[in-house]
């Protein structure tokens, strides 16, 4: 079955460390997205990519980096410059047509700074 | 540009009561509209979507939503709430011609169901 896989489900980071969250999809979707979710703040867009080797900043890109070397993969790195990284991170993908079916979401990664 | 407003960050109902979650949107093009549900520590799952055609859309778990263009609304309803409906619900609108497929989300509404 096609889907989108995020790993790991739980991740712990020490102060000053970079960590990378994985997101892989086998839906042949063109676009992929990273969102951050904090209690009471809805979904906030970090980065998105509509095509391989290209990506755009979202609303809260500072302290994060991404790459899109393959259509199937869109990893997110949380750098040491992100001062408050503890949150729930969601990856999503979609096709880029008018008759969109909406997003398919992964099951999320919960990142905690220890 | 498009935007989505969900009225009420928290809604509380009794089991068996009507569920009504409100969503209003703005869009410069005919919208595609979506409702998603999120259970704790999980991703978002599509409940239903409106694209074209019939304005009353039926989704999973007994939910439905009606697209009202004159009111720019897409409210989500369920006749009788069940304890398992307790979750967070997000309304979303699709992008414009320059960003087909990209969604704009509302802030979410947390639904609590009391016994």
């Amino acid at each position: 079955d096609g889907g989108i896989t995020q790993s790991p489900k739980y991740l712990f980071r020490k102060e000053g460390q970079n960590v990378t969250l994985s997101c892989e999809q086998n839906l042949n979707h063109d676009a992929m997205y990273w969102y951050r979710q904090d209690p009471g703040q809805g979904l906030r867009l970090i980065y998105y990519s509509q095509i391989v080797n290209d990506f755009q900043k979202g609303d809260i890109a500072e302290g994060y980096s991404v790459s899109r070397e393959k259509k199937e993969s869109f990893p997110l790195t949380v750098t040491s410059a992100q001062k408050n990284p503890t949150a729930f991170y969601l990856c999503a993908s979609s096709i880029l047509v008018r008759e969109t079916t909406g997003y398919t979401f992964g099951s999320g990664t919960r990142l905690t700074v220890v | 540009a498009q935007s989505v407003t969900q009225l009420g960050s928290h809604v509380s109902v009794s089991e068996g009561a009507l569920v009504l979650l409100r969503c209003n949107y703005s869009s410069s093009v005919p919208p595609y509209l979506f409702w998603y549900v999120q259970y704790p520590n999980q991703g978002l799952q599509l409940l239903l979507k409106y694209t074209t055609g019939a304005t009353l859309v039926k989704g999973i778990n007994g939910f439905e939503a009606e697209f009202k263009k004159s009111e720019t609304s897409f409210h989500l309803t369920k006749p009788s709430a069940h304890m398992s409906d307790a979750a967070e619900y997000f309304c979303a609108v699709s992008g414009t011609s320059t960003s087909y497929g990209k969604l704009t989300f509302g802030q979410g509404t947390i639904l609590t169901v009391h016994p």
Side-chain angles (χ1 to χ4, degrees):
Chain A
D1 286 343
I4 184 165
T5 302
Q6 289 187 243
S7 61
K9 189 167 180 63
Y10 299 95
L11 186 58
F12 297 90
R13 191 194 94 167
K14 295 182 179 179
E15 295 278 355
Q17 259 186 348
N18 292 356
V19 291
T20 297
L21 284 59
S22 171
C23 179
E24 304 274 337
Q25 54 99 359
N26 61 3
L27 300 163
N28 199 32
H29 283 178
D30 304 301
M32 297 185 74
Y33 312 84
W34 274 106
Y35 287 90
R36 171 178 172 144
Q37 193 173 23
D38 298 280
Q41 298 196 45
L43 300 171
R44 293 187 289 169
L45 183 63
I46 305 173
Y47 270 98
Y48 67 101
S49 168
Q50 296 180 312
I51 193 170
V52 173
N53 293 323
D54 188 42
F55 45 83
Q56 288 76 42
K57 293 182 179 180
D59 302 317
I60 56 164
E62 184 175 353
Y64 300 97
S65 66
V66 293
S67 63
R68 186 88 185 276
E69 297 178 0
K70 299 185 299 182
K71 188 175 185 178
E72 302 79 17
S73 178
F74 192 42
L76 173 73
T77 297
V78 184
T79 74
S80 57
Q82 170 50 239
K83 297 307 179 188
N84 185 22
T86 294
F88 190 56
Y89 291 86
L90 285 164
C91 181
S93 66
S94 75
I95 55 174
L96 290 176
V97 296
R98 177 75 178 100
E99 298 76 21
T100 182
T101 53
Y103 287 5
T104 300
F105 281 87
S107 56
T109 293
R110 184 163 297 280
L111 173 63
T112 304
V113 174
V114 297
Chain B
Q2 57 279 332
S3 66
V4 176
T5 301
Q6 291 183 238
L7 300 175
S9 58
H10 290 82
V11 170
S12 181
V13 301
S14 298
E15 191 173 20
L18 172 71
V19 175
L20 171 60
L21 304 182
R22 299 177 187 273
C23 173
N24 288 87
Y25 69 92
S26 67
S27 178
S28 56
V29 297
Y32 282 18
L33 295 157
F34 304 82
W35 274 101
Y36 286 86
V37 60
Q38 185 184 30
Y39 299 101
N41 293 310
Q42 295 185 27
L44 278 68
Q45 177 185 1
L46 181 67
L47 269 180
L48 49 81
K49 66 175 186 270
Y50 167 78
T51 53
T52 58
T55 56
L56 181 62
V57 181
K58 295 187 184 298
I60 61 172
N61 302 338
F63 284 93
E64 61 184 35
E66 187 171 11
F67 170 59
K68 292 187 176 181
K69 184 177 179 180
S70 61
E71 298 177 8
T72 61
S73 69
F74 191 56
H75 302 330
L76 182 71
T77 60
K78 182 174 180 177
S80 176
H82 192 273
M83 296 295 289
S84 61
D85 295 327
E88 189 163 14
Y89 293 80
F90 292 91
C91 182
V93 63
S94 62
T96 65
S97 59
T98 58
S99 61
Y100 284 153
K102 187 168 177 286
L103 301 185
T104 298
F105 288 88
Q107 286 295 97
T109 298
I110 295 173
L111 175 66
T112 303
V113 182
H114 297 287

